Every structure is written in C-alpha cells, then in structure tokens.
Amino acid sequence: MKNHSIFDCSIIHLPRIYNRSGNITPVENLKNIPFEVKRVYYLYDIPGGESRGAHGHKELESLIIAASGSFDVTIDDGHNKKTVQLNRPYFGLHIRPCMWRDIHNFSSGSICLVLASELYNEEDYLRSYEEFMKFNSSIINSVVK
Ligand code: TYD
C-alpha cells in the first residue's frame, strides 16, 4: 500500500456545461476523476457551523463536492495538515486513502456530496486519531522495509 501525503490530495476542476436555465456538472469514472465510483452519499440538513466526518479510511478514496453552500475540509496525513474551503459545485477535493479528515464550518442548507471508491465497510474506518496514526505508521514501516 502506498503512503500518500496531503500534497497528493488536490482540487479537481469538474466540467461545467452552462445554460441560461441552469448549469450541469457531469462526473465520469476515470475520466474526470482518477478512481471508479462504487458509492455516492450526501450529507444534508446539517445545522450551520456543525462538524462531521472526523475519521480516516484505510483504503477508500473519495471526491468531496459542495453540491450546495460551503464547508471546510481539513485533511491530515499524520505529518502535515491543510484546510480547503469548498464552495462551488464544480470543484471536488480528491482525498487519497489514509488521511484523517474533518469536515466543518458548514453553511446552513449546504449539501456535501461524496463520491467514494468502495461500498460502505465499517472495517475500513479509522475511528480514532490514535488508530489512524498507528495504521499510518504501519504503512510507512511496510514501505521502508
Ligand atoms: P459516518 O461515515 O460515521 O459519518 P460522519 O463521519 O460524517 O459522522 O456515518 C454515520 C453513520 O451512517 C454510521 O453509523 C454509518 C452510516 N453510514 C452508512 O450506513 N452508509 C454509508 O455509506 C455512510 C457514509 C454512513
């Protein structure tokens, strides 16, 4: 397994098809995003200022999009941290495996759309920061060996 850093997690500019009566943003597997989507979920009815998603994933990668409104995503690879504000439906933040992520500062009425590379699997979650750091160093050690 590869050890990714926050610098491998970038904003992907999605296509925009303009129309007077509204715009369209299509997202196609392996064309606009570098992985195959197995699951889509969205967070909504989030009270303004609330936080979600403080966890990591062992293998899952995802693209996070502010389909409506705005929020901040903080990603942490165990060494470095960065916070990205998402506020346009045509920008997606690509989150690589094994990142601690925290989604916060939701504007009221915002919708957080997540395209995910795996089906829901509780075994893939790193629910505590301690568990995340342990898993993270086990990958680094296996790469170094
Ligand atoms: P979780 O991913 O922990 O959300 P957050 O970190 O934003 O609070 O999911 C919350 C609950 O929803 C958890 O009990 C698992 C369930 N869930 C599913 O059943 N399927 C899914 O695809 C997701 C994302 C969550």
Side-chain angles (χ1 to χ4, degrees):
M1 194 183 294
K2 194 175 174 310
N3 177 238
H4 292 285
S5 87
I6 55 164
F7 305 105
D8 304 318
C9 299
S10 50
I11 291 281
I12 295 180
H13 292 227
L14 299 166
R16 274 190 286 171
I17 301 163
Y18 293 99
N19 191 302
R20 262 191 312 155
S21 50
N23 304 328
I24 299 179
T25 287
V27 185
E28 295 182 77
N29 276 341
L30 305 174
K31 185 173 164 187
N32 312 111
I33 53 169
F35 60 87
E36 290 203 61
V37 177
K38 287 202 185 142
R39 175 168 54 113
V40 174
Y41 63 91
Y42 35 100
L43 308 175
Y44 54 96
D45 287 349
I46 309 151
E50 192 53 80
S51 295
R52 298 287 310 236
H55 61 245
H57 282 282
K58 295 175 188 163
E59 301 209 345
L60 180 123
E61 52 189 315
S62 57
L63 187 79
I64 301 190
I65 300 167
S68 185
S70 67
F71 47 80
D72 297 336
V73 186
T74 298
I75 46 175
D76 173 347
D77 59 19
H79 300 281
N80 294 297
K81 240 187 206 193
K82 70 175 173 186
T83 298
V84 175
Q85 189 190 44
L86 292 176
N87 56 10
R88 293 282 181 270
Y90 47 84
F91 286 152
L93 177 64
H94 179 206
I95 302 194
R96 304 276 191 169
C98 202
M99 294 291 142
W100 185 259
R101 64 179 217 193
D102 184 14
I103 313 177
H104 49 104
N105 209 12
F106 284 92
S107 67
S108 62
S110 58
I111 298 176
C112 171
L113 174 63
V114 183
L115 312 183
S117 65
E118 304 295 336
L119 300 180
Y120 175 74
N121 175 12
E122 186 57 40
E123 297 287 294
D124 190 63
Y125 277 79
L126 298 161
R127 289 283 184 193
S128 72
Y129 194 75
E130 194 189 354
E131 196 188 352
F132 161 73
M133 285 305 282
K134 246 188 222 163
F135 186 78
N136 198 20
S137 27
S138 74
I139 301 177
I140 295 169
N141 289 336
S142 68
V143 172
V144 170
K145 269 178 200 161

